[in-house]
């Protein structure tokens, strides 16, 4: 059996995971509900025994509606653009940093993937997508968190480049330059990508890219 390959899109608003199984891409249903994505929201719930339980996505939003936003963190990816960010979480009695919140979310996703594993000897390999505007420091933070959780990170690629990879490129003839536009929750990215199709062997190269820290959440 081969190792398990996953693509992770840690978006400002939503998180999506896709599994590559024998060359076929399938979206991973992360948690309960019909949606094939997870809203980027985490809620720290304090149980009667004093333990802390994390709620994600829709469940986190529901807890916040019932008990208030004090123990909720939303759109945590956007906080990576700040030099230092943390929020005091009353249920935990301490400040939670951006990196800690991201770790808790990705850790829950990794554990969900683990539930469906039958062979524990397989590596869980992932490629992460990031905005063009991410610095090398921000890329490293996200990569390090994923590896600390348990993923083997094969690559970190830009979101426009990932968007193009999801398209059928068999109809591209010869060499073409394609402009890819990605309007995200926290960033707007554009990339010029060269696609070469010779004898059905497709080579994709990102030639140039530009991103700004402005997106749907700002409108």
């Amino acid at each position: 059996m081969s190792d398990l390959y996953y693509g992770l899109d840690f978006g400002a608003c939503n998180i999506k995971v896709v599994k590559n199984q024998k060359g076929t891409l399938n979206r991973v249903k992360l948690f309960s509900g019909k949606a094939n994505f997870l809203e980027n929201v985490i809620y720290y719930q304090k149980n009667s025994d004093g333990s802390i339980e994390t709620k994600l996505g829709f469940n986190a939003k529901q807890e916040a509606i019932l008990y208030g936003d004090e123990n909720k963190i939303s759109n945590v990816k956007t906080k990576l653009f700040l030099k230092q960010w943390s929020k005091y979480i009353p249920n935990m009695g301490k400040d939670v940093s951006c990196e800690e919140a991201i770790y808790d979310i990705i850790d829950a996703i990794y554990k969900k993937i683990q539930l469906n594993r039958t062979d524990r000897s397989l590596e869980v390999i992932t490629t992460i997508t990031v905005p063009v505007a991410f610095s090398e420091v921000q890329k490293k933070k996200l990569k390090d968190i994923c590896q600390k959780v348990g993923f083997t990170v094969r690559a970190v690629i830009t979101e426009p480049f990932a968007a193009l990879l999801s398209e059928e490129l068999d109809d591209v003839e010869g060499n073409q330059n394609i402009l890819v536009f990605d309007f995200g929750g926290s960033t707007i990215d554009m990339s010029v990508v060269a696609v070469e199709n010779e004898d059905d062997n497709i080579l994709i190269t990102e030639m140039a890219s530009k991103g700004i820290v402005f997106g749907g959440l700002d409108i």
Side-chain angles (χ1 to χ4, degrees):
M1 294 181 67
S2 60
D3 294 325
L4 306 177
Y5 292 87
Y6 292 87
L8 173 62
D9 179 9
F10 193 79
C13 299
N14 300 308
I15 302 167
K16 306 179 191 72
V17 176
V18 65
K19 181 179 180 181
N20 186 335
Q21 191 167 24
K22 297 181 179 180
T24 300
L25 298 179
N26 295 295
R27 284 191 177 183
V28 176
K29 189 174 181 181
L30 296 175
F31 292 94
S32 60
K34 296 181 180 180
N36 287 323
F37 63 87
L38 177 70
E39 292 181 79
N40 200 334
V41 184
I42 184 169
Y43 184 91
Y44 293 92
Q45 174 183 295
K46 189 172 185 177
N47 297 322
S48 57
D49 62 358
S51 62
I52 299 297
E53 181 180 354
T54 56
K55 301 283 188 178
L56 303 182
F58 176 78
N59 292 333
K61 292 176 69 176
Q62 289 297 106
E63 291 294 318
I65 290 172
L66 292 173
Y67 304 110
D69 292 337
E70 294 86 357
N71 297 290
K72 182 188 79 171
I73 300 176
S74 301
N75 314 122
V76 65
K77 176 183 175 182
T78 62
K79 280 69 174 180
L80 277 174
F81 289 106
L82 304 176
K83 187 174 182 180
Q84 287 186 325
W85 183 92
S86 65
K87 179 179 178 179
Y88 181 75
I89 302 297
N91 281 348
M92 299 185 72
K94 68 170 189 174
D95 287 333
V96 173
S97 68
C98 170
E99 291 82 0
E100 288 172 319
I102 292 175
Y103 177 92
D104 292 335
I105 294 171
I106 294 180
D107 183 55
I109 292 171
Y110 182 79
K111 288 175 179 175
K112 176 67 176 180
I113 291 173
Q114 290 281 61
L115 290 176
N116 299 320
R117 293 183 63 186
T118 56
D119 189 342
R120 297 289 172 174
S121 66
L122 300 181
E123 277 192 289
V124 182
I125 302 171
T126 187
T127 293
I128 310 167
T129 69
V130 297
V132 173
F134 257 24
S135 67
E136 291 303 316
V137 172
Q138 291 161 330
K139 292 177 186 177
K140 186 176 185 305
K141 282 183 179 180
L142 191 56
K143 179 180 178 180
D144 288 348
I145 290 170
C146 288
Q147 292 187 149
K148 187 176 180 180
V149 163
F151 285 108
T152 297
V153 179
R154 169 154 292 183
V156 179
I157 61 177
T158 65
E159 290 170 353
F161 189 69
L164 184 63
L165 291 177
S166 68
E167 296 297 317
E168 296 292 337
L169 298 174
D170 296 337
D171 295 334
V172 174
E173 297 181 359
N175 301 337
Q176 295 187 27
N177 291 333
I178 298 175
L179 176 65
V180 186
F181 178 78
D182 181 5
F183 196 115
S186 61
T187 57
I188 297 175
D189 296 328
M190 287 188 291
S191 291
V192 177
V193 181
V195 180
E196 303 175 42
N197 190 349
E198 297 183 3
D199 300 325
D200 294 328
N201 292 318
I202 298 175
L203 175 64
I204 304 173
T205 306
E206 191 169 38
M207 305 297 291
S209 60
K210 179 66 176 178
I212 61 173
V213 184
F214 181 88
L217 291 171
D218 303 301
I219 297 176

